[in-house]
Amino acid sequence: MKFETLAIHKGNRITDAHQPVVQPITLSTTFTHGNDGGSLYTRASNPNRNSLEELVAALEQGECAAAFSSGNAAGTAVFQALEAGSHIIAPHDMYHGLHQSMVTLFKGIHEVTFVDMSDLEAVQKAVRPSTRIIWIETPSNPLLKVTDIRKVAEIAHQANALLVCDNTFATPVFQNPLLLGADMVMHSSTKYFGGHSDILGGILVSKLKNEFWEKILTVQKVGGAVPAAMDCYLLCRSLRTLAYRMKGHAAHAMILAEYLYSHPKVDRVHYPGLKSHPGHEIAASQMTGFGGVVSFEVNGGAKEADLLISMLKLFVNATSLGGVESIIERRAAVEGPDTTTPPNLIRVSVGLEHTDDLLEDLDQAFAQL
Ligand SMILES: *Cc1c(COP(=O)(O)O)cnc(C)c1O
């Protein structure tokens, strides 16, 4: 079945005698011993979570998935599942929340080398005998850098390491890392999966149900950072329309990127769909669409960027991305003093409003700079 069809039908488990069309929400935390569904206690297994995991595994074309209470919990589960003393290679511009997880929670437990993932020689040079994971994020947050998944997968496998890809920005609508050589995929389902800025969640998908996956499941069940049944239900509901939302987000992002690219008050635009983007060709070889996030650097510095944002009426000045509403923020202000993000960089999560209205709002805001 094609993506759109799987998204609508997969994991919709109807066991109720009334035969509802949509699977009900099972709020019960505990289940009668000896039941047919195999659930015992909701931290270990819940029908809505099982459905979500089945659905996302199918969309990413993996064998299995594990849902968590946030994207950070999902990413952190990978580091928790590693043996102490493991070495991880991660991108310089890794999502800052997971960068924080690695350098604070796992300080003294694992070793990590941060590299520029577009420099394959640097990735190769960073490999050590203890390297267990190469972590990539493509396109990256917030610089929209593109990593060649196939090439980094080769490096990882030669080193007997696993390649894990944070696929939050691309979503499985546009990119299936498991088909390009990655071993595991991570998502912050808070973003496009939820799609309406009202659910926090994360999920891991594995190509194989192997020994490492068993450890991930132990972290999920024993660590207990699992999502509630209501959130799993809402995520399944949101995923039914993911393909159509992503096509809209990407089409709108391209229109905004082109507008910003030709704007005299903009220094640089970061969007892999633009031919001028250094990663455009690699992106085109591994993605079927370029996603809904555009970053740009406004002429001047932090002051001008803040001023522009304050003049906008339709774009919401908030963090996060992937919702139906357009959200904008100056990223360096959120990432704190140790950030490498340029101070004048504005990240836009392009929403599903009509682009005429979005462009009109940008026009009036730029006119006041
Ligand atoms: C938001 C985000 C995360 C973290 O997810 P949370 O749900 O906020 O914990 C990880 N990676 C990327 C690329 C993100 O955008």
Side-chain angles (χ1 to χ4, degrees):
M1 274 189 279
K2 304 280 193 217
F3 189 98
E4 290 80 352
T5 318
L6 278 175
I8 289 167
H9 293 285
K10 195 76 180 173
N12 192 34
R13 298 181 188 182
I14 309 300
T15 51
D16 194 305
H18 294 288
Q19 295 285 300
V21 171
V22 177
Q23 180 180 340
I25 309 170
T26 305
L27 292 173
S28 185
T29 51
T30 188
F31 302 86
T32 309
H33 284 305
N35 72 77
D36 293 341
S39 289
L40 179 74
Y41 183 57
T42 210
R43 172 155 48 74
S45 166
N46 169 281
N48 296 100
R49 193 171 91 224
N50 299 346
S51 292
L52 171 66
E53 292 169 343
E54 183 183 339
L55 172 58
V56 176
L59 297 182
E60 279 290 7
Q61 306 200 42
E63 230 172 56
C64 39
F68 292 84
S69 52
S70 72
N72 252 44
T76 298
V78 176
F79 314 143
Q80 287 174 304
L82 288 172
E83 268 176 49
S86 295
H87 176 242
I88 301 163
I89 303 174
H92 266 319
D93 61 335
M94 183 179 205
Y95 170 72
H96 84 115
L98 281 171
H99 176 271
Q100 285 294 97
S101 164
M102 215 176 261
V103 300
T104 57
L105 299 181
F106 297 94
K107 191 176 171 194
I109 299 174
H110 301 316
E111 288 184 283
V112 53
T113 309
F114 293 102
V115 300
D116 174 356
M117 283 291 166
S118 60
D119 182 350
L120 295 171
E121 258 176 56
V123 181
Q124 183 67 62
K125 268 202 198 135
V127 170
R128 300 182 196 169
S130 58
T131 305
R132 293 288 167 270
I133 297 275
I134 300 185
W135 186 281
I136 59 172
E137 181 187 324
T138 181
S140 72
N141 182 4
L143 285 169
L144 285 306
K145 282 200 188 166
V146 174
T147 299
D148 190 326
I149 301 174
R150 294 180 183 93
K151 294 252 167 73
V152 180
E154 275 174 29
I155 298 173
H157 297 153
Q158 269 168 19
N160 266 323
L162 298 176
L163 180 68
V164 184
C165 180
D166 183 338
N167 203 29
T168 300
F169 270 40
T171 81
V173 177
F174 293 142
Q175 180 171 275
N176 283 123
L178 300 181
L179 301 185
L180 299 162
D183 301 283
M184 204 179 281
V185 163
M186 186 226 115
H187 282 278
S188 165
S189 32
T190 313
K191 314 295 168 54
Y192 290 108
F193 279 19
H196 297 74
S197 307
D198 56 5
I199 311 162
L200 189 76
I203 196 154
L204 295 172
V205 187
S206 181
K207 180 146 83 185
L208 299 172
K209 241 183 211 161
N210 50 21
E211 210 181 308
F212 189 62
W213 185 252
E214 290 305 320
K215 290 189 180 154
I216 296 278
L217 291 182
T218 303
V219 173
Q220 183 196 33
K221 181 170 140 185
V222 180
V226 292
M230 180 72 184
D231 286 354
C232 296
Y233 166 84
L234 284 171
L235 274 172
C236 285
R237 178 189 155 131
S238 288
L239 285 164
R240 308 279 180 227
T241 56
L242 180 69
Y244 297 95
R245 287 187 285 108
M246 288 316 296
K247 286 168 200 169
H249 285 296
H252 292 187
M254 193 69 206
I255 291 170
L256 252 75
E258 281 173 343
Y259 164 90
L260 292 164
Y261 188 72
S262 61
H263 202 288
K265 289 180 181 167
V266 173
D267 284 344
R268 283 181 79 185
V269 182
H270 306 266
Y271 184 64
L274 291 177
K275 290 216 166 62
S276 60
H277 187 284
H280 174 73
E281 270 173 39
I282 297 168
S285 79
Q286 62 190 20
M287 304 176 82
T288 55
F290 301 104
V293 178
V294 179
S295 291
F296 67 99
E297 294 171 45
V298 77
N299 289 356
K303 193 169 139 261
E304 286 73 15
D306 284 334
L307 182 63
L308 179 76
I309 290 172
S310 72
M311 294 300 170
L312 289 164
K313 295 182 176 129
L314 192 52
F315 291 80
V316 184
N317 181 16
T319 199
S320 199
L321 57 106
V324 291
E325 63 286 300
S326 290
I327 286 184
I328 197 158
E329 82 176 340
R330 190 168 73 78
R331 234 4 238 175
V334 181
E335 293 179 352
D338 60 343
T339 180
T340 54
T341 302
N344 59 338
L345 183 129
I346 294 176
R347 188 187 71 189
V348 192
S349 169
V350 187
L352 299 178
E353 303 94 340
H354 199 290
T355 48
D356 288 354
D357 295 323
L358 295 175
L359 294 182
E360 193 182 307
D361 194 27
L362 283 167
D363 267 341
Q364 66 79 23
F366 272 119
Q368 298 183 67
L369 272 197

